[in-house]
């Protein structure tokens, strides 16, 4: 099992992607331990004092004015977690749950939360031993922290709730015992430190980001295939065009498409004496559209990288100032904005891909390809309804791309009167990526079919490797057949990055 050692405040997107895709375990660099312990000592000092400190010796939210006796501080934290376990809906996937836990570790590791080192070590142990809390998907409004979902995580640490261990769902106490771990009794502020924070929203936004970036890579490949299949022009890929505009995503997309199409016999065959002057925008403007989406994803990535390294609970222990102060770092507005940006990028990558599918099945626009890419049109319908499916998915993604962060509602007796809605704003990205992968999968099948029809001319060696990979899983379409399995296999090739691997060229990086 891979175990990553992470330095809180200095974790990169590559680190986070590794945790997400491989479910790697995480430990904090021991160099952060002294800061964690110093913050805990400051909380202990507050408990011994007489001043009211929010969440340490007071109630929560609207009940912050209620003073709690020192003998009840452990009960206060226990009650906080159990009462906040109000999540509903299906359990989130293990991959996302583990990323939530890793992000919580990073936040606690900043040394501003006031927890004991014991809590950090328990989360590390749960990740290493494979104890994954069962966290319901719904219930967070993305402010005052992702309270409900993080409470379900914290409950398992106390021996309550449910967890997955060894492929089985069991009670939290049994899961910890089976893994050789011991539940904790939460001390002052520790429950609050565990559930205040944006880790649930951030984990799902990161998952959406990583899936969207992988899809963007695939979209560059399917778009290059479609360009060759309809005998489109590569003139719009001239590097000088993109340099004159200056957007890095556009420049990267154009460069990648040039590399993908280099050496194509199909392209060389119509450079001279092609009666067409310009291709439709879905061919001609691919770098401008997909490249712009890539730039939007990079902007969101920067926000999420910062958030992943942030201390986001409340109150925070400021060691240098020797104070414990209430603030609002738990408010997930930055994450909500990032999720909305990712949603827009996903929708637009799919929108222009769908137009390419529509183009390639249309004999009026596809430059002499047979209608709907079937060798015997009329008796056969070919990819006619596959294109309709992409239109449905494109429209669904357009609807889902409407912003979530602008939809606030007051909660907790108007104490928490503006919220981010970042949690479901980030969760919807998974559904949108599934839709996008299916759109690109259909484009992959249609473009490969179009390339086959151009024989004996061949596409570039790079794209021919992609077509060969497609044909490993999906045969060329002759007579009509039951197509649903073909569409699913193609979508999996997109989702798993198989066609990117088959192309075997360097792809743009998700740099921030």
């Amino acid at each position: 099992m891979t175990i990553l050692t992470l330095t809180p405040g200095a974790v990169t997107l590559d680190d986070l992607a590794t945790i997400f895709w491989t479910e790697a375990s995480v430990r904090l660099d021991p160099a952060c331990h002294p800061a964690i312990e110093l913050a805990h000592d400051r909380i202990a000092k507050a408990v011994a004092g007489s001043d009211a400190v929010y969440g340490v010796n007071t109630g929560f939210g609207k009940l912050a004015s209620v003073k709690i006796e020192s003998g009840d501080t452990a009960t206060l934290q226990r009650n906080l977690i159990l009462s906040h376990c109000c999540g509903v809906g299906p359990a989130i996937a293990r991959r996302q749950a583990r990323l939530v836990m890793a992000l919580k570790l990073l936040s606690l590791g900043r040394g501003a939360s006031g927890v004991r080192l014991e809590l950090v070590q328990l989360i590390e142990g749960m990740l290493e031993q494979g104890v994954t809390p069962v966290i319901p998907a719904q219930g967070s409004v993305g402010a005052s922290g992702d309270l409900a979902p993080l409470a379900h995580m914290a409950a398992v640490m106390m021996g309550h709730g449910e967890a997955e261990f060894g492929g089985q769902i069991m009670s939290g106490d049994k899961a910890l015992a089976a893994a050789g771990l011991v539940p904790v009794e939460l001390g002052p502020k520790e429950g609050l430190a565990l559930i205040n924070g944006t880790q649930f929203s951030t984990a799902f936004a990161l998952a959406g980001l990583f899936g969207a970036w992988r899809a963007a890579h695939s979209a560059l490949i399917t778009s290059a295939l479609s360009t060759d299949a309809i005998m489109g022009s590569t003139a719009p890929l001239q590097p000088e065009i993109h340099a004159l505009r200056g957007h890095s995503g556009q420049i990267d997309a154009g460069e990648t498409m040039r590399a993908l199409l280099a050496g194509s016999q199909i392209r060389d065959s119509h450079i001279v004496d092609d009666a067409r002057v310009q291709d439709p925008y879905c061919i001609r403007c691919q770098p401008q559209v997909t490249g712009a989406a890539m730039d939007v994803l990079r902007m969101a990535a920067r926000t999420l990288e910062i958030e992943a390294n942030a201390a986001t609970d409340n109150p925070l222990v400021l060691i240098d100032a020797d104070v414990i102060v209430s603030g609002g770092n738990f408010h997930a507005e930055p994450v909500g904005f990032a999720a909305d940006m990712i949603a827009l990028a996903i929708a637009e990558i799919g929108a222009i891909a769908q137009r390419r599918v529509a183009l390639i099945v249309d004999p009026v626009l596809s430059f002499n390809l047979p209608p709907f890419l079937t060798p015997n049109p009329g008796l056969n319908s070919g990819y006619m309804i596959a294109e309709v499916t992409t239109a449905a998915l494109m429209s669904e993604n357009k609807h889902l791309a409407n912003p979530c962060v602008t939809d606030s509602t007051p909660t907790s007796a108007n104490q928490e009167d503006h919220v981010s809605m970042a949690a479901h704003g980030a969760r919807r990205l998974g559904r949108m990526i599934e839709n996008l992968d299916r759109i690109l999968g259909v484009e992959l099948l249609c473009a490969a079919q179009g390339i086959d029809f151009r024989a004996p001319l061949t596409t570039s060696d790079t794209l021919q490797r992609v077509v060969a990979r497609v044909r490993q899983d999906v045969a060329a379409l002759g007579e009509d057949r039951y197509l649903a399995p073909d569409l699913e296999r193609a979508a999996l090739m997109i989702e798993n990055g198989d066609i990117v691997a088959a192309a075997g060229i360097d792809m743009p990086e998700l740099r921030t």
Side-chain angles (χ1 to χ4, degrees):
M1 176 182 289
T2 302
I3 300 179
L4 298 180
T5 299
L6 302 179
T7 301
V11 171
T12 67
L13 284 172
D14 285 344
D15 294 328
L16 297 166
T18 298
I19 296 167
F20 177 68
W21 291 119
T22 71
E23 298 187 21
S25 294
V26 171
R27 289 178 183 162
L28 297 185
D29 187 331
C32 74
H33 291 179
I36 295 172
E37 292 172 323
L38 278 174
H40 173 64
D41 291 344
R42 183 62 182 84
I43 292 293
K45 178 181 174 183
V47 172
S50 57
D51 292 341
V53 179
Y54 175 70
V56 176
N57 53 16
T58 73
F60 307 102
K62 196 73 171 181
L63 303 176
S65 60
V66 179
K67 185 75 183 293
I68 305 301
E69 298 298 326
S70 60
D72 291 328
T73 54
T75 302
L76 175 71
Q77 300 300 314
R78 174 188 177 277
N79 290 349
L80 172 70
I81 298 304
L82 299 183
S83 68
H84 282 54
C85 285
C86 292
V88 297
I92 67 175
R94 183 177 64 190
R95 180 178 288 168
Q96 274 88 346
R98 288 178 62 87
L99 185 55
V100 169
M101 296 167 71
L103 292 170
K104 178 54 72 175
L105 270 180
L106 292 171
S107 182
L108 298 178
R110 292 299 300 271
S113 297
V115 302
R116 289 168 293 163
L117 194 56
E118 181 182 347
L119 263 70
V120 169
Q121 292 167 337
L122 178 56
I123 297 174
E124 291 174 339
M126 291 168 66
L127 286 168
E128 185 172 350
Q129 298 302 320
V131 177
T132 307
V134 174
I135 302 176
Q138 295 167 285
S140 174
V141 295
S144 199
D146 292 315
L147 296 172
L150 292 177
H152 284 271
M153 180 199 75
V156 173
M157 298 172 65
M158 299 162 55
H160 294 276
E162 291 185 320
E164 178 199 345
F165 179 73
Q168 302 293 318
I169 303 297
M170 60 190 74
S171 64
D173 58 343
K174 289 182 179 178
L176 291 175
L181 301 171
V182 179
V184 294
E185 180 179 353
L186 298 178
K189 194 190 172 291
E190 290 182 332
L192 196 59
L194 290 173
I195 68 171
N196 259 186
T198 66
Q199 287 75 40
F200 180 89
S201 296
T202 304
F204 274 87
L206 284 166
L209 173 70
F210 299 144
W213 193 255
R214 180 174 282 187
H217 281 175
S218 294
L220 293 174
I221 295 171
T222 59
S223 64
L225 274 173
S226 293
T227 299
D228 232 15
I230 62 104
M231 289 189 158
S233 174
T234 55
L237 302 179
Q238 283 284 105
E240 293 86 355
I241 294 174
H242 310 298
L244 281 168
R245 199 171 197 188
H247 293 296
S248 61
Q250 178 179 331
I251 292 168
D252 290 345
E255 179 182 356
T256 302
M257 290 188 67
R258 287 196 306 276
L260 288 164
L261 286 159
S264 167
Q265 291 181 7
I266 296 172
R267 175 54 185 144
D268 291 344
S269 72
H270 63 97
I271 291 177
V272 179
D273 296 330
D274 191 333
R276 296 168 298 171
V277 177
Q278 294 185 135
D279 292 315
Y281 288 178
C282 68
I283 298 295
R284 194 180 354 144
C285 300
Q286 291 171 100
Q288 287 82 358
V289 176
T290 303
M294 289 162 56
D295 278 341
V296 168
L297 292 174
R298 284 167 170 163
M299 286 185 269
R302 178 58 180 156
T303 295
L304 295 176
E305 186 176 62
I306 292 170
E307 189 72 9
N309 282 286
T312 57
D313 79 86
N314 180 61
L316 293 171
V317 182
L318 309 181
I319 292 298
D320 291 342
D322 193 29
V323 294
I324 303 170
V325 66
S326 289
N329 278 7
F330 51 71
H331 200 298
E333 194 83 355
V335 182
F337 275 122
D340 283 347
M341 293 165 66
I342 295 168
L344 290 170
I346 292 170
E348 282 299 277
I349 293 170
I352 194 169
Q354 197 283 326
R355 297 317 304 153
R356 293 192 297 267
V357 174
L359 180 76
I360 202 172
V361 301
D362 185 343
V364 176
L365 298 172
S366 65
F367 202 56
N368 301 321
L369 290 176
F372 305 107
L373 301 169
T374 175
N376 190 9
L379 180 62
N380 293 286
S381 297
Y383 284 110
M384 178 189 293
I385 303 305
E387 185 270 328
V388 174
T389 296
T390 65
L393 296 173
M394 173 189 69
S395 183
E396 184 176 315
N397 270 4
K398 287 179 180 179
H399 172 75
L400 290 170
N402 281 293
C404 294
V405 76
T406 54
D407 181 24
S408 178
T409 189
T411 61
S412 193
N414 283 300
Q415 176 73 7
E416 297 155 10
D417 59 352
H418 182 279
V419 297
S420 72
M421 299 299 180
H424 70 262
R427 278 195 301 107
R428 61 153 168 185
L429 300 177
R431 178 177 166 190
M432 294 184 71
I433 290 166
E434 288 179 0
N435 291 342
L436 175 56
D437 288 346
R438 283 166 171 78
I439 293 169
L440 295 175
V442 171
E443 184 185 13
L444 179 65
L445 296 181
C446 290
Q449 185 89 348
I451 294 293
D452 289 345
F453 277 121
R454 299 300 182 188
L457 297 175
T458 60
T459 187
S460 68
D461 290 344
T462 300
L463 292 178
Q464 203 60 51
R465 290 195 296 270
V466 174
V467 174
R469 175 64 187 86
V470 174
R471 294 292 173 245
Q472 288 177 20
D473 289 0
V474 181
L477 184 61
E479 298 299 307
D480 280 352
R481 61 175 182 253
Y482 186 58
L483 278 179
D486 292 359
L487 269 58
E488 287 305 307
R489 283 191 284 268
L492 279 175
M493 283 187 264
I494 300 294
E495 178 186 343
N496 296 333
D498 292 341
I499 67 165
V500 175
I505 67 169
D506 292 336
M507 301 298 284
E509 296 180 1
L510 185 58
R511 56 181 180 271
T512 60

